[in-house]
Amino acid sequence: MLKFYTKGLCVAFPVRQLASFLILILLAATTFSQNITLRGHISYPTPENGNVWGYVDSAGREYALMGTYEGLSIVNVSDPDNPVEVFKVPTQPSLWHEIKTWNQHVYVTNEAGGGLLIADLKDLPDTITYNYFTDSATLNTSHTLWIDENGILYLFGSNLGAPGRYGGADMYDLKENPNNPVYISSYNATGDFQRDYIHDGFVRGDTLWASHVYSGMLEVIDVSDKQNPVPLASFSTPNNFTHNSWPTHNDQYLFTTDEVDNSFLASYDVSDLQNISPPLDKAQSNPGSNAIVHNVHLFNDSFAVTSYYTEGAVIFDVTHPDNMIKVAQYDESEFTGGGYHGDWGVYPYLPSKNLLVSDIENGLYILTPVYNHAAWVYGVITDSASGALLNNVSVTVLNTENSAVSSLSGEYKTGAASAGFYNISFSKPGYHTKIVEGVSLISNQYDTLNVVLGQLQNFVYQGQIIDSSSKQPLSNAMVVIVDSIFTFTDSTDSNGNFIFPVFYNGTYQIFAGKWGYKTAYLSSQNINSGTSPLIVSLAPGYYDDFSLDFGWKESGDAQSGKWVRAEPLGTLYYSQQSNPEFDVDNDYGNQCFVTGNKETEFYVDPVFNGTTRLSSPLFNVSGYTDPYLDFYIWFYNVSGVYPYDTLKIFLVGESDSSLLKNISVSNTQRSHWVRERFRIKDFVVPSENMSVHFYAENPSGSYSLLECGVDKFQIIDSFEVGINNSGNNINRLEVFPNPFDNTFFVSYDLLPGSFTTPELLLTDPAGRVIISKKLINDIGEESFFIGLLPAGIYFLQLKNKNGLLLTRKVIKK
C-alpha cells in the first residue's frame, strides 16, 4: 500500500500518484494577536517544518528543539527576543519530525527512514553527541512518540512488525542506556491495520491514551503489564479522525483533536471508563473557517494550548470542560481556511511560560502568552406562556465567536474571552428573538442569566397538489416549503391534500413534486394567516433535480465514496475541482447526487475499492413518441497505478438492457458538469418499466482518485430535442480548464435552429483557423489538443451556415 502524506499525518490511503506537497511561499505573513506577543522568529531554508519541543539545561538555559526538513535544529531561546541556533543534527530529509526528551536526551522520529535520532544534550550549549537507533536494523520509520515518567519510550506508527501487525505502540526501556533503548513489546490488538494504527499517544502511570486516526477512535489501554496490554475502553471523537489527546492530571477529563477540516477540540469526562459520556463541549478557534485543530496540550489543567494550523497558536480556557472559551491567539500563518499549512505544534512548558511554535512554512516562533481566565454565563430558557423548558435555542454573545445551544433541560452555557459588557442574543424557530443588552461578565466567574421567550403567532397552512391535465388530486406527492429559518415537509393524502398545523408568516420557497411528474418550484411566496390555500399543478413527465427525494437507491461494495443525495461539498485536487462545489446551474434547489460528500479534503471520501451504483426509480415511456434521456454528469479521475476507474451508465428495459456510455480516464478528465442526451430507441425498446443506473467503479489496486456526480435528470420527447432546458433561451458553449496546459474540453448545447451544419473553429488572434471540428450532435463535448502551439491567447468560435454564434477566448499557459 502506498502512502499519501498530509502535514502532520502519514495517511496510508489509496489516493495516489500525488504531486509533491512542497510549497515554497513568502515568509511575510499577516498576523493576528490576542493576548499573545511575538518575541522572536527563526526561518529555515526548506519550508517543510515538523513539530517542536522544549528543553532546559542544568544552568537553566531554555532551548527549542525544532523539527526541520533537514533534521533537528537546537535553538537557544533564553533571550526570546534574540533566539540563536546552536546546533543542527541531520536526519533523512523528512516532512515529519516528532520530538520528546528524557534524562537530558532528545528523541526524534521521522517518516523518511534511518531510525530514531537520539542526541545527548547534557553538555549544551558547548557540544552534543548523537546516534541513530535502528534496533538491529529493524526499526526504520516511526510517526510519533511518547516517553513516560518511568523512562518507557512508546513509538507510534512505526514500521515494526509483520504486514498487518504494525503501526501500533512499540515499547522500549530507556533507563539502562538512553542511547540504546531495550525493546519490551508491541501492542497491535487485532491485526487490522486500519483499526490498530496509533497515530499518537499519551502515557501517564499505567494508562495509554491512544489516538487511532483511521478508525476515528480514542482507546484507553492498561499498560501496567507491558507484555500484555489490556484495552479498557474506547469511543469515537467528533470528526472520526482522532489525532491526539491530553488528560488532566487526575485523569478525570480528556481533550481530543481530529485532523480534518472544520474539526473540533472536544472534552470528555473519563472518570468512569465504563461510562464515558458524549463530549461535554466542542470548541473551534473560528467557527465556519474550516480550519483544522492539530495538537492539544494542557497547561495547569486550566488552559488547552492548541496548534491550529491556519489559525495559528490558540489557547482555550478549559477550567470548565463543559464550557470551553477561546482566550488567546497568535496567527502567524498567511494561510486561511482548511488544509495543512501553518502551525504544526506548540510547546507551552518552559519555565518562562513562553510558547514555542513550529510553523510548517515559516519556521520557529517564540511567543509570550497572557493566561487570562474567561468570563462565563449560564442560564435556563423557558416559554413565556407555558413556562416550558426550551431546548435548541441558539445563544450568541454578539461580536464574539462564542455561542451555545440550549439542552433538553433548557440550560445553556457560554461566555467571553474577557470581562466586559456584552449583548447576548437568544433565538429559536417559532419564537421572537430576544437580545439582552449590557450583560456584565466578570473574568474567572460564572454569571447567571435566565431568559423567557415568547412564541410567534402561528396558523394552519394547507393546500392541494393536482394533475395539470386531469385536474385530479395526486396522492403521495411531496411538498417542501422553506425559508432561512423554517423547513416544512409533508406528503399529500389520498385527496391530494397537505397540511401544516403550525406555520409562521414569512417569504418562502416552495417545491412540489412526484415521480412521474415535473417538479414545480415557486419562489418568494409571501405566506401569512390570510393567505389562501395553495394549489399546485404538476405536469406529467420526468424531471428530477434532486431538490426532492423521489427514491433513487444506492448499492454496491465500495469502501467509501458511495452515492449520496446532498448539497455537494467541493474538494480540490490542487487547483482542479475534484468534487463539485455546486450542483448544475439553473435547476431548483442546490442538491445533486455525488460520490462521497463527507469532507472538503479530496482524499477523505472518494470512490475506493469497489463499485457504488445509483439506480433510478422505474419510469414509463410507453406514451412518448420518441423519448430521450437527458441529464448532467460530473466525472473526475486522477489515474493511479492502474487507470481502470470508470463511470458506466446503463439503461434497463423490460426485456433488454444496454450500456449508454463508459467514461474513463482514457477518454475524459474534467472538473465540470457536462450534459448528456441519449435516444432510448437507439439502445433498448421503450417500455412501461425502465430504469437507469450509474456505476462508479474504483477496482481494487487502482490507487487513484475518482469522483462522480449526477444532476438534473429528465426525460424529453422528440419534439423537445434541441431545446435548451436550462431555462435560458441561448446556445451554450463552455470551455474548461481555461487557462489550460496542452488540452482543453468544450461542452456545447445548441438551441433549435442552430443545429445546421455547425462547427467549432480554433483560431489564432489573426483569425487563422488552426483546428476545425464538425459537430454531429446538438449536445456533447469535444477536446482540443494544441500541445505543439506556443503559449498565448486563442479564440474558439461556434459557427453554423448562417454565421458566427458564439466566441470564447482560451489561454494556453
Side-chain angles (χ1 to χ4, degrees):
M1 176 172 285
L2 302 179
K3 292 183 179 180
F4 163 65
Y5 291 99
T6 68
K7 303 298 186 295
L9 175 65
C10 172
V11 180
F13 187 87
V15 180
R16 309 299 189 259
Q17 293 295 95
L18 305 181
S20 171
F21 267 82
L22 301 180
I23 302 170
L24 297 178
I25 60 173
L26 297 175
L27 273 177
T30 302
T31 60
F32 167 78
S33 180
Q34 171 192 355
N35 291 331
I36 300 179
T37 303
L38 172 64
R39 302 297 299 276
H41 171 238
I42 287 182
S43 60
Y44 295 95
T46 304
E48 290 292 347
N49 301 299
N51 212 343
V52 66
W53 201 250
Y55 176 73
V56 181
D57 68 14
S58 58
R61 289 180 288 260
E62 296 182 347
Y63 297 89
L65 306 175
M66 177 75 180
T68 70
Y69 185 73
E70 290 77 18
L72 174 68
S73 170
I74 301 176
V75 182
N76 188 330
V77 295
S78 301
D79 179 356
D81 301 308
N82 297 288
V84 177
E85 184 179 54
V86 292
F87 287 104
K88 293 179 180 178
V89 183
T91 64
Q92 291 290 328
S94 175
L95 288 67
W96 299 271
H97 287 98
E98 293 284 342
I99 304 164
K100 296 293 186 291
T101 57
W102 185 78
N103 190 25
Q104 297 182 307
H105 287 73
V106 59
Y107 299 81
V108 184
T109 65
N110 74 78
E111 289 276 359
L116 179 72
L117 169 64
I118 304 175
D120 189 335
L121 305 178
K122 69 177 181 296
D123 294 323
L124 282 177
D126 300 319
T127 186
I128 62 168
T129 58
Y130 57 88
N131 65 288
Y132 304 96
F133 174 71
T134 59
D135 195 8
S136 300
T138 302
L139 177 66
N140 190 36
T141 65
S142 179
H143 191 62
T144 56
L145 74 165
W146 184 265
I147 306 173
D148 70 13
E149 66 275 16
N150 298 313
I152 304 300
L153 166 68
Y154 296 78
L155 297 179
F156 304 114
S158 84
N159 68 296
L160 290 182
R165 300 288 292 178
Y166 63 95
D170 304 307
M171 292 165 268
Y172 288 84
D173 195 334
L174 302 178
K175 294 188 291 294
E176 183 176 339
N177 184 351
N179 294 303
N180 189 27
V182 176
Y183 177 77
I184 303 173
S185 65
S186 295
Y187 173 73
N188 290 283
T190 68
D192 179 348
F193 176 82
Q194 296 282 350
R195 160 61 175 81
D196 286 350
Y197 181 89
I198 299 175
H199 178 265
D200 200 359
F202 180 104
V203 186
R204 182 189 297 126
D206 294 329
T207 305
L208 164 60
W209 307 84
S211 296
H212 294 268
V213 70
Y214 293 123
S215 54
M217 176 185 72
L218 192 290
E219 184 177 29
V220 189
I221 304 164
D222 182 347
V223 290
S224 55
D225 181 355
K226 303 294 188 293
Q227 300 295 335
N228 186 33
V230 178
L232 301 176
S234 64
F235 58 91
S236 297
T237 50
N239 298 87
N240 294 303
F241 212 66
T242 316
H243 182 264
N244 95 308
S245 70
W246 208 278
T248 55
H249 281 85
N250 60 5
D251 290 339
Q252 181 173 358
Y253 299 106
L254 182 77
F255 298 83
T256 67
T257 63
D258 289 279
E259 196 185 16
V260 292
D261 284 1
N262 199 38
S263 56
F264 293 90
L265 171 69
S267 57
Y268 295 85
D269 184 341
V270 291
S271 55
D272 180 358
L273 293 180
Q274 304 310 310
N275 186 30
I276 297 176
S277 66
L280 300 172
D281 194 17
K282 298 188 298 182
Q284 293 180 306
S285 168
N286 183 13
S289 71
N290 229 25
I292 301 170
V293 59
H294 191 203
N295 289 311
V296 58
H297 298 69
L298 290 187
F299 181 80
N300 289 343
D301 283 355
S302 296
F303 296 94
V305 182
T306 64
S307 49
Y308 222 109
Y309 275 128
T310 61
E311 295 283 320
V314 181
I315 300 176
F316 296 86
D317 187 336
V318 296
T319 303
H320 302 283
D322 58 350
N323 190 8
M324 301 184 289
I325 303 294
K326 185 176 82 171
V327 293
Q329 179 180 8
Y330 188 89
D331 185 2
E332 80 286 348
S333 176
E334 63 269 46
F335 291 93
T336 59
Y340 302 95
H341 303 288
D343 190 341
W344 178 305
V346 180
Y347 179 83
Y349 302 121
L350 292 174
S352 64
K353 297 184 181 179
N354 287 330
L355 303 179
L356 303 176
V357 174
S358 61
D359 183 284
I360 295 167
E361 290 81 15
N362 297 326
L364 171 68
Y365 289 81
I366 301 94
L367 310 175
T368 298
V370 177
Y371 288 103
N372 286 332
H373 279 290
W376 300 278
V377 61
Y378 159 89
V380 176
I381 308 171
T382 55
D383 181 289
S384 62
S386 67
L389 299 170
L390 295 181
N391 66 326
N392 289 322
V393 178
S394 295
V395 183
T396 303
V397 182
L398 300 180
N399 299 317
T400 77
E401 299 160 347
N402 301 312
S403 62
V405 176
S406 62
S407 66
L408 290 172
S409 61
E411 296 177 301
Y412 74 92
K413 300 172 184 177
T414 185
S418 57
F421 293 92
Y422 296 90
N423 298 338
I424 305 179
S425 170
F426 300 83
S427 62
K428 178 180 173 67
Y431 286 81
H432 293 283
T433 296
K434 175 179 284 189
I435 297 178
V436 182
E437 299 181 343
V439 178
S440 176
L441 299 182
I442 301 172
S443 181
N444 203 24
Q445 180 173 311
Y446 240 122
D447 290 295
T448 301
L449 176 63
N450 297 323
V451 173
V452 176
L453 296 183
Q455 291 191 35
L456 293 170
Q457 179 184 1
N458 64 76
F459 55 93
V460 176
Y461 187 60
Q462 57 190 330
Q464 187 181 46
I465 299 179
I466 63 174
D467 184 302
S468 64
S469 299
S470 67
K471 307 304 180 185
Q472 294 299 305
L474 293 175
S475 62
N476 297 316
M478 298 180 63
V479 59
V480 176
I481 304 179
V482 299
D483 69 357
S484 60
I485 300 175
F486 299 102
T487 297
F488 300 95
T489 302
D490 198 12
S491 296
T492 57
D493 61 17
S494 59
N495 296 313
N497 296 322
F498 64 87
I499 185 169
F500 299 110
V502 178
F503 204 89
Y504 301 98
N505 294 343
T507 301
Y508 292 90
Q509 300 177 74
I510 301 175
F511 302 86
K514 181 177 180 177
W515 186 249
Y517 289 84
K518 296 182 179 180
T519 300
Y521 171 70
L522 304 172
S523 65
S524 303
Q525 301 295 300
N526 186 15
I527 302 175
N528 54 54
S529 58
T531 302
S532 299
L534 175 69
I535 298 178
V536 180
S537 297
L538 298 182
Y542 293 93
Y543 171 91
D544 193 356
D545 57 17
F546 309 115
S547 54
L548 300 172
D549 184 0
F550 291 143
W552 291 65
K553 300 297 184 183
E554 188 281 334
S555 59
D557 59 359
Q559 288 185 219
S560 66
K562 296 178 181 295
W563 287 105
V564 291
R565 172 181 164 267
E567 180 180 356
L569 297 173
T571 61
L572 291 176
Y573 177 71
Y574 294 91
S575 61
Q576 290 183 322
Q577 195 77 40
S578 50
N579 204 50
E581 178 71 26
F582 304 102
D583 71 338
V584 170
D585 290 338
N586 299 311
D587 69 352
Y588 308 145
N590 54 17
Q591 301 200 70
C592 59
F593 266 97
V594 289
T595 53
N597 204 48
K598 289 182 179 178
E599 296 289 346
T600 55
E601 292 295 336
F602 69 84
Y603 55 83
V604 174
D605 198 20
V607 182
F608 171 56
N609 199 21
T611 300
T612 175
R613 179 177 69 178
L614 176 66
S615 301
S616 74
L618 293 176
F619 52 83
N620 179 1
V621 295
S622 61
Y624 285 73
T625 302
D626 189 5
Y628 285 71
L629 292 178
D630 191 287
F631 47 82
Y632 283 80
I633 287 295
W634 182 284
F635 180 87
Y636 185 82
N637 184 224
V638 177
S639 174
V641 178
Y642 305 106
Y644 298 145
D645 289 2
T646 58
L647 174 61
K648 296 176 182 177
I649 308 169
F650 288 90
L651 178 61
V652 178
E654 289 184 348
S655 60
D656 51 359
S657 64
S658 180
L659 175 66
L660 298 179
K661 193 163 189 175
N662 183 5
I663 306 173
S664 70
V665 71
S666 63
N667 56 41
T668 184
Q669 178 176 319
R670 53 200 179 191
S671 300
H672 201 76
W673 285 107
V674 175
R675 191 175 181 183
E676 304 281 1
R677 184 180 296 156
F678 303 95
R679 187 185 187 211
I680 291 179
K681 287 182 179 179
D682 292 340
F683 296 92
V684 300
V685 177
S687 59
E688 294 185 2
N689 295 293
M690 308 190 70
S691 59
V692 64
H693 306 263
F694 300 87
Y695 289 77
E697 182 176 11
N698 170 262
S700 178
S702 177
Y703 300 149
S704 55
L705 172 63
L706 175 63
E707 297 283 10
C708 302
V710 177
D711 200 10
K712 203 172 182 182
F713 174 89
Q714 54 190 326
I715 301 175
I716 57 180
D717 216 335
S718 55
F719 66 88
E720 297 177 286
V721 172
I723 295 176
N724 182 297
N725 289 285
S726 67
N728 294 327
N729 192 27
I730 58 173
N731 292 295
R732 182 176 64 85
L733 180 68
E734 298 181 9
V735 178
F736 55 97
N738 192 18
F740 62 95
D741 291 316
N742 295 313
T743 302
F744 66 87
F745 298 91
V746 179
S747 176
Y748 62 90
D749 185 2
L750 305 182
L751 288 170
S754 301
F755 197 71
T756 310
T757 62
E759 62 180 336
L760 288 172
L761 303 175
L762 183 68
T763 73
D764 64 15
R768 292 184 291 266
V769 176
I770 301 169
I771 299 175
S772 173
K773 293 193 176 188
K774 302 289 187 182
L775 302 182
I776 59 174
N777 294 308
D778 61 343
I779 182 171
E781 181 181 277
E782 295 287 343
S783 62
F784 285 79
F785 174 75
I786 57 171
L788 300 179
L789 295 178
I793 296 174
Y794 297 87
F795 293 93
L796 182 72
Q797 298 179 349
L798 173 63
K799 287 185 175 182
N800 66 8
K801 70 175 185 178
N802 298 318
L804 181 66
L805 296 176
L806 292 170
T807 300
R808 297 287 183 265
K809 180 170 70 175
V810 295
I811 302 173
K812 185 176 188 295
K813 294 187 286 187

